[in-house]
Amino acid sequence: MKNLKYFILITFISTSFFSCDDDFLDTVPNDRISSELFWQTDQDAVFAANAVYPFLLQDAFSFTMWDAMSDIGHVTLQWRDESLVEKGAHNSSNGKVASEWAFAYRGIQAANIFMGNVEKMTPQDPALIERLKAEVKVIRAYSYIRLAILYGDVPLVDHELTLEESRELTRTPVEQVWDFISDELTASAVKLPKVQSDKGRITKGAALALKARAMLYAGRYTEAALAAKEVMDLQVYSLNASYKDLFSYQAQNTTEIILDRQFAKNVNNNNIFNLTTPNSIWPQVNQFVPRKRAVDVYQMANGKDITDPTSGFDPYNPYINRDPRLGYTIYTLGDTLLNGTIYNPKPTSGTGDAIGSSENSTFSGFNVKKYLNPEDMAQPTNCGINIILLRYAEVLLTYAEAKIEANDIDQSVLDAINEVRQRPDVNMPPITVMGGQEELREIVRKERTVELAFEGLRYFDIRRWRVAENLTGIIRGMTYENNSGELVTIALTGFDIAFDKERDYLWPIPNDERVLNPNLTQNPGW
């Protein structure tokens, strides 16, 4: 999948049709692929399905921004649209709000174009065509998951729209959208193989794992647990032995990866290194950084929270004897950077990472490690690393959370959580006490936070948990010892996080969409 070129979609979407009484004008255009020539062979269908895959991910920037807008991250540049979302100052004309809607519906339209045209073919290999249709339906469902969690009621479209139809659309109740997602993913899973020889293609496990995520988001916990259990029972997936290496080139396509967006240097690249690297390595480009809240949630290596007086936490040495995932995920004071220098973000350090030294230097004293690889240092905008969209650890935690929320608590809940906690290079103490629903809910939510940090999920978690209004106020960064021996905690003054619980759990319907189609009603408060 890495080396396939995604030009087919543009050509068959943009094909124009002309008619004229003069025969000499009635010719096949030679600057594009005409639909009259395309859709003839099974290989055409393969190319067309491949062209829908990019709609799994808009770009590396949009991927990084989800956690940047959550309580564990911060958008570096305060003039960005995402920064306005972060502090609750966005509106229906916000660029992020508009682009996510538009990208999702472009993907849905591309999928619908594929489905409408492939049905007209006479395939040489009907099983292949059925598999491709299932793959494309999963991608379409993926777009609807994002739309439903962000906007609530959205137009549900399952066929190629004409311009006139698009102006008459109305919003479908979100519960019907979740029904559609569930049905599509269930039916697609039947048509998909457990393993695809072409790495990067959607599998049975991807369809079921997405269903588990979707039903968790929808609050349909029994369905979510059942779908997650189906993935577990496939016996195809397992945790990578090393969490540290999980986001490296060496770990691509391992058994933990269920769904990713495939990239390749020089062919179909991304710029995730450029977006997240510390300022001292690649100056003036960093887009987001972790906050103190992200660092503090990692337990001590003995399994106790750092707020526990018996944990052994030392505020003068705050990163010692912590959950190893902290060191694998976030750059903290004293770490060794990829170029061999020591990470020193203290305001008086004089390094490129010193807090306040430039617009793109970390405000918090932290930087993200995930997806930063030495192979990309020479060309930070030409990365070939695959971006993981769904991995087996999430499925295990989805299973545990869904069972807890359904109050169907048994040993399998602890087993799933502990499997994640006891990955060989993490090896955190297992959860042994079968607590009640409230206690286990807190445990699994903490585990999701540390295991899946900066993988684009936290923003959606705090919204579906309905806790976002409790995570507001001043953004804080690292605590460090100043030259006088005093402990000082960085605070970003003048930038307060705000969240209106009566309004902000749904994004507004983009203003431009409502201008084009007045039938689209607006969400409350917008």
Side-chain angles (χ1 to χ4, degrees):
M1 287 291 286
K2 276 178 172 285
N3 295 318
L4 291 171
K5 298 182 180 178
Y6 298 108
F7 64 87
I8 300 296
L9 177 64
I10 304 301
T11 55
F12 77 71
I13 287 179
S14 61
T15 297
S16 299
F17 299 91
F18 302 93
S19 63
C20 184
D21 291 336
D22 297 321
D23 291 340
F24 76 93
L25 290 179
D26 192 14
T27 60
V28 177
N30 59 16
D31 64 341
R32 71 202 71 182
I33 300 175
S34 169
S35 61
E36 296 174 4
L37 301 178
F38 201 71
W39 301 110
Q40 302 299 312
T41 69
D42 288 1
Q43 191 60 45
D44 290 344
V46 172
F47 286 147
N50 292 346
V52 185
Y53 269 80
F55 289 102
L56 286 170
L57 181 68
Q58 188 166 358
D59 50 38
F61 177 80
S62 66
F63 173 79
T64 61
M65 284 298 104
W66 291 119
D67 278 5
M69 297 187 297
S70 78
D71 64 317
I72 63 171
H74 171 61
V75 181
T76 304
L77 302 174
Q78 297 184 24
W79 48 264
R80 288 202 175 279
D81 289 323
E82 292 80 7
S83 183
L84 295 176
V85 175
E86 185 185 358
K87 57 188 175 185
H90 56 301
N91 57 34
S92 62
S93 297
N94 179 275
K96 180 67 172 177
V97 170
S99 68
E100 289 299 327
W101 175 285
F103 181 75
Y105 276 109
R106 286 201 301 272
I108 290 165
Q109 178 76 331
N112 289 340
I113 289 171
F114 173 88
M115 298 300 296
N117 282 283
V118 81
E119 292 289 355
K120 301 172 186 176
M121 293 178 56
T122 302
Q124 292 81 43
D125 183 352
L128 169 64
I129 300 304
E130 288 301 307
R131 193 201 80 200
L132 294 174
K133 287 164 58 178
E135 292 176 22
V136 170
K137 285 183 178 181
V138 170
I139 298 171
R140 183 171 63 183
Y142 188 89
S143 294
Y144 274 119
I145 292 170
R146 185 64 52 85
L147 286 167
I149 193 68
L150 288 174
Y151 304 95
D153 300 348
V154 293
L156 182 58
V157 183
D158 63 358
H159 64 279
E160 181 181 355
L161 288 177
T162 65
L163 184 60
E164 291 73 22
E165 285 179 313
S166 70
R167 291 171 175 164
E168 300 296 327
L169 289 174
T170 58
R171 298 171 67 188
T172 304
V174 70
E175 288 303 316
Q176 293 181 31
V177 178
W178 290 124
D179 288 342
F180 176 81
I181 292 167
S182 177
D183 292 344
E184 288 283 275
L185 293 174
T186 300
S188 296
V190 175
K191 303 289 186 179
L192 290 165
K194 291 183 181 181
V195 178
Q196 296 258 29
S197 57
D198 194 0
K199 298 298 183 183
R201 301 203 82 92
I202 290 170
T203 61
K204 181 187 294 289
L208 293 171
L210 277 177
K211 181 183 176 182
R213 177 191 285 180
M215 295 303 96
L216 190 70
Y217 284 8
R220 301 179 180 185
Y221 300 118
T222 299
E223 288 183 73
L226 288 172
K229 187 62 165 60
E230 284 189 80
V231 179
M232 295 157 66
D233 289 344
L234 290 175
Q235 297 185 338
V236 171
Y237 304 103
S238 61
L239 298 182
N240 200 53
S242 173
Y243 188 92
K244 179 181 180 181
D245 295 337
L246 189 56
F247 305 92
S248 69
Y249 284 91
Q250 292 71 31
Q252 292 187 131
N253 300 316
T254 60
T255 56
E256 182 159 352
I257 312 305
I258 299 176
L259 180 64
D260 60 8
R261 172 74 161 83
Q262 299 254 319
F263 292 95
K265 286 178 181 288
N266 303 316
V267 178
N268 178 38
N269 61 323
N270 66 66
N271 64 335
I272 196 164
F273 188 106
N274 179 66
L275 296 169
T276 61
T277 188
N279 192 65
S280 62
I281 293 180
W282 194 252
Q284 296 299 310
V285 290
N286 179 275
Q287 299 300 308
F288 89 106
V289 294
R291 293 161 52 180
K292 178 179 172 63
R293 187 186 298 274
V295 175
D296 287 353
V297 75
Y298 290 88
Q299 296 178 323
M300 299 297 290
N302 58 19
K304 296 183 179 181
D305 294 339
I306 65 171
T307 54
D308 186 333
T310 67
S311 69
F313 175 71
D314 179 1
Y316 285 89
N317 296 285
Y319 315 119
I320 304 298
N321 296 324
R322 300 286 293 275
D323 182 332
R325 288 172 292 187
L326 171 59
Y328 302 150
T329 303
I330 299 174
Y331 277 117
T332 57
L333 179 66
D335 278 350
T336 301
L337 297 172
L338 290 176
N339 61 4
T341 62
I342 300 302
Y343 182 68
N344 188 352
K346 286 185 178 181
T348 58
S349 70
T351 69
D353 297 316
I355 294 170
S357 63
S358 73
E359 185 180 35
N360 292 86
S361 61
T362 176
F363 102 90
S364 64
F366 306 119
N367 276 100
V368 175
K369 282 185 180 179
K370 286 180 177 178
Y371 292 108
L372 296 186
N373 290 288
E375 293 91 336
D376 295 323
M377 284 189 63
Q379 294 180 296
T381 60
N382 185 21
C383 305
I385 189 73
N386 297 338
I387 293 180
I388 301 169
L389 303 177
L390 211 163
R391 57 188 178 89
Y392 188 55
E394 181 190 343
V395 171
L396 292 171
L397 295 176
T398 293
Y399 173 78
E401 181 181 350
K403 294 266 287 183
I404 292 166
E405 293 300 331
N407 210 16
D408 182 19
I409 299 169
D410 56 26
Q411 184 60 40
S412 69
V413 170
L414 301 189
D415 291 343
I417 297 172
N418 288 332
E419 187 172 348
V420 174
R421 288 175 64 85
Q422 297 199 288
R423 187 193 302 263
D425 73 343
V426 173
N427 199 28
M428 287 292 289
I431 307 298
T432 57
V433 178
M434 186 73 72
Q437 186 182 45
E438 196 65 38
E439 181 181 358
L440 288 172
R441 177 182 292 142
E442 182 180 358
I443 288 171
V444 77
R445 289 182 180 184
K446 283 183 179 179
E447 197 62 31
R448 277 187 69 93
T449 305
V450 300
E451 174 68 22
L452 303 172
F454 311 115
E455 297 180 42
L457 298 175
R458 179 66 176 179
Y459 184 77
F460 303 100
D461 283 348
I462 61 175
R463 290 160 64 87
R464 65 184 179 83
W465 291 336
R466 297 279 166 166
V467 299
E469 69 267 25
N470 302 323
L471 306 174
T472 57
I474 295 174
I475 299 178
R476 301 191 185 278
M478 73 175 187
T479 300
Y480 69 98
E481 185 179 0
N482 66 14
N483 293 334
S484 301
E486 301 171 321
L487 290 177
V488 178
T489 298
I490 296 295
L492 186 60
T493 57
F495 190 103
D496 287 359
I497 301 298
F499 191 93
D500 182 352
K501 67 179 181 180
E502 303 300 327
R503 184 196 73 168
D504 291 342
Y505 278 113
L506 291 177
W507 278 6
I509 306 304
N511 181 65
D512 286 351
E513 301 296 334
R514 298 188 68 233
V515 170
L516 292 170
N517 179 6
N519 294 311
L520 296 176
T521 57
Q522 186 56 278
N523 279 324
W526 296 101

